[in-house]
Amino acid sequence: MEKQDLQQLKTAFADTRDFLLALGDEKRQLIIMALLEQESCDGLRVVDLTEITQLSRPAVSHHLNILKQANIVSVRSEGTKNYYYFSNMIDNVKDMKKLIDQLLNLLEEKEVNQ
């Protein structure tokens, strides 16, 4: 295993850290599932998400902030109403796939060399 491979893996972990942490929470997974189940791409309001997830309004807002920081959701305002929708999810998933592929390659290489 080369140092360059390990450095690339370390960089891939760093690039996906916020995304993985955001995905790892069961309540945030509920919000992501609610957004995925939505037929239109218009987004959902906090009140919609509280109804769907059965989480309190402050809990939904807290988890949406974490998802925003991880560039998973964005917010669009219409007057006083805020709509949350996926922003960068595809790029994040591609980065995670790249991390998994790198990790799998290194583990397979290590297994072959044993």
Side-chain angles (χ1 to χ4, degrees), residues 48-69:
D48 301 324
L49 290 167
T50 59
E51 193 174 303
I52 294 167
T53 63
Q54 301 299 305
L55 296 172
S56 70
R57 188 179 195 97
V60 168
S61 294
H62 167 74
H63 291 296
L64 284 170
N65 281 330
I66 292 170
L67 292 170
K68 281 190 333 188
Q69 289 172 356

Side-chain angles (χ1 to χ4, degrees), residues 19-37 49 52-53 55 63-64 66-67 72 86 89:
F19 181 68
L20 292 172
L21 288 171
L23 286 183
D25 184 88
E26 189 176 332
K27 292 173 179 145
R28 288 189 286 278
Q29 292 168 9
L30 289 173
I31 293 170
I32 290 169
M33 292 304 298
L35 290 171
L36 284 170
E37 290 171 352
L49 290 167
I52 294 167
T53 63
L55 296 172
H63 291 296
L64 284 170
I66 292 170
L67 292 170
I72 294 172
F86 287 120
M89 188 81 156

Side-chain angles (χ1 to χ4, degrees), residues 1-90:
M1 194 174 309
E2 295 182 28
K3 279 192 173 203
Q4 180 182 1
D5 293 333
L6 291 175
Q7 185 58 43
Q8 287 175 341
L9 184 62
K10 185 177 180 179
T11 300
F13 271 122
D15 290 346
T16 58
R17 183 172 292 124
D18 289 344
F19 181 68
L20 292 172
L21 288 171
L23 286 183
D25 184 88
E26 189 176 332
K27 292 173 179 145
R28 288 189 286 278
Q29 292 168 9
L30 289 173
I31 293 170
I32 290 169
M33 292 304 298
L35 290 171
L36 284 170
E37 290 171 352
Q38 182 190 13
E39 289 187 25
S40 73
C41 294
D42 295 338
L44 293 172
R45 295 176 46 215
V46 170
V47 67
D48 301 324
L49 290 167
T50 59
E51 193 174 303
I52 294 167
T53 63
Q54 301 299 305
L55 296 172
S56 70
R57 188 179 195 97
V60 168
S61 294
H62 167 74
H63 291 296
L64 284 170
N65 281 330
I66 292 170
L67 292 170
K68 281 190 333 188
Q69 289 172 356
N71 293 318
I72 294 172
V73 299
S74 291
V75 63
R76 173 180 54 83
S77 296
E78 285 184 16
T80 60
K81 297 176 182 177
N82 292 324
Y83 293 86
Y84 294 87
Y85 61 93
F86 287 120
S87 60
N88 201 12
M89 188 81 156
I90 291 174

